[in-house]
Amino acid sequence: MRLAGKVCIVTGAGRGIGKATAIKFAQEGARVAVCDVTPEWVDDTVREIRQTDGEAVGFIVDVRNRASIERMVKEMVAMYGRIDCLVNNAGIVRDAQLKNMTDEQFDQVIEINLKGVYNCTKAVVEAMLPQQSGVILTTSSVVGLYGNFGQTNYAASKSAVIGMTKTWARELGRSGIRANAVCPGFIQTPILSTVPERVLAAMEQKVPLGRLGKPEEIAATFAFLASDEASYINGAVIEVSGGMSL
Ligand code: NAP
């Protein structure tokens, strides 16, 4: 088991990529903090992990709310004495073309996808610095690399987390803390529920593998990056998209 005994936090772990990541980490032996805003989904993920003898603790955490993050970090450190990995995964979309985008749509996405990553990382790094080790993983997107029609706000947030990741890789490397970003392509999760069928079909056509990705395929990448097998990977931005940008 690649993450045996490691203490890991996954945000947005109630559904989609975050849920698959929490489950994968637990299968690899990690003790996982399952964080999300919706209590039923937190419970679902925790139950699924425990059903297969995995170790998980649920927390209602809104990544916009520093107090809820700090409470969760404090409780994890009190329970396990350390934090080995944070997966910044919580994210939303509020799509509109620039000419129609409202300030509210722009701010909502920045507040969760960008400021939320800053909030969580700041709180977790405080616990990692004294132990001189840790891994910060952040979910960016191919949209952060190449832009996307109707996603000014989302592209801004997903490019920005790449900048933060590279900065943390420089600032924290000598303290034994690695920081990396993963850029998923189009992955079958509830976040795609608002995308029309014909657009999804066109996306599939663009992917050399001829299909959308599965949450488990992103979870597997995170598990590798969180493990000691990735001990020399720092400041990397890894695209997991079936080759869609080729
Ligand atoms: P998802 O199924 O919608 O899951 C996102 C989770 O984050 C949901 O459980 C959501 O809860 C939670 N969340 C939303 N706002 C939150 C907040 N303020 N605090 C804590 N949790 C919050 O989406 P997904 O596809 O798994 O996306 C996960 C990450 O991958 C996101 O960062 C997304 O941008 C990124 N990504 C996804 C794709 C894709 O094609 N699916 C591609 C590239 C990148 P609620 O539903 O209750 O709001």
Side-chain angles (χ1 to χ4, degrees):
M1 292 205 282
R2 287 186 296 176
L3 303 178
K6 289 196 189 286
V7 180
C8 304
I9 296 168
V10 184
T11 67
R15 299 202 293 177
I17 293 169
K19 179 174 186 174
T21 301
I23 290 171
K24 174 72 175 168
F25 276 34
Q27 285 168 348
E28 293 285 353
R31 297 172 283 186
V32 186
V34 172
C35 305
D36 210 308
V37 275
T38 310
E40 304 90 90
W41 292 335
V42 169
D43 291 347
D44 276 358
T45 305
V46 169
R47 196 177 315 115
E48 254 183 74
I49 289 174
R50 288 183 182 162
Q51 268 165 4
T52 50
D53 292 332
E55 195 168 339
V57 192
F59 292 94
I60 311 306
V61 172
D62 184 328
V63 297
R64 292 169 294 191
N65 180 329
R66 287 269 186 101
S68 73
I69 300 163
E70 283 163 10
R71 202 175 313 123
M72 176 270 299
V73 170
K74 213 170 151 190
E75 280 189 40
M76 286 300 281
V77 172
M79 263 186 290
Y80 298 115
R82 56 186 296 109
I83 294 173
D84 296 298
C85 178
L86 164 68
V87 183
N88 284 306
N89 168 79
I92 61 164
V93 288
R94 295 289 183 270
D95 296 349
Q97 286 183 55
L98 178 60
K99 60 185 179 180
N100 300 324
M101 186 167 286
T102 63
D103 289 353
E104 194 189 7
Q105 285 173 316
F106 187 86
D107 292 343
Q108 281 176 339
V109 168
I110 296 299
E111 199 60 35
I112 292 175
N113 297 13
L114 174 55
K115 187 83 183 290
V117 171
Y118 166 80
N119 288 339
C120 293
T121 306
K122 203 164 159 55
V124 167
V125 161
E126 211 169 292
M128 287 177 172
L129 280 173
Q131 69 196 33
Q132 292 283 290
S133 69
V135 181
I136 306 293
L137 301 175
T138 299
T139 319
S140 177
S141 167
V142 288
V143 173
L145 297 172
Y146 310 112
N148 197 25
F149 194 95
Q151 292 198 308
T152 293
N153 48 3
Y154 189 77
S157 70
K158 294 300 184 181
S159 296
V161 297
I162 291 175
M164 293 203 299
T165 296
K166 291 185 178 182
T167 299
W168 297 332
R170 286 174 183 267
E171 281 187 10
L172 302 170
R174 280 188 172 71
S175 301
I177 300 170
R178 300 186 285 110
N180 293 297
V182 172
C183 294
F186 293 101
I187 311 299
Q188 277 169 321
T189 72
I191 214 172
L192 293 185
S193 62
T194 54
V195 181
E197 274 301 319
R198 64 181 168 77
V199 177
L200 286 178
M203 285 172 183
E204 273 179 3
Q205 289 301 313
K206 283 184 67 179
V207 181
L209 292 181
R211 63 172 176 85
L212 302 181
K214 299 177 200 145
E216 292 75 19
E217 291 172 315
I218 306 303
T221 310
F222 279 136
F224 165 65
L225 289 171
S227 77
D228 296 340
E229 288 170 7
S231 54
Y232 206 55
I233 302 182
N234 187 34
V237 179
I238 298 180
E239 183 174 329
V240 184
S241 70
M244 69 167 281
S245 60
L246 297 173

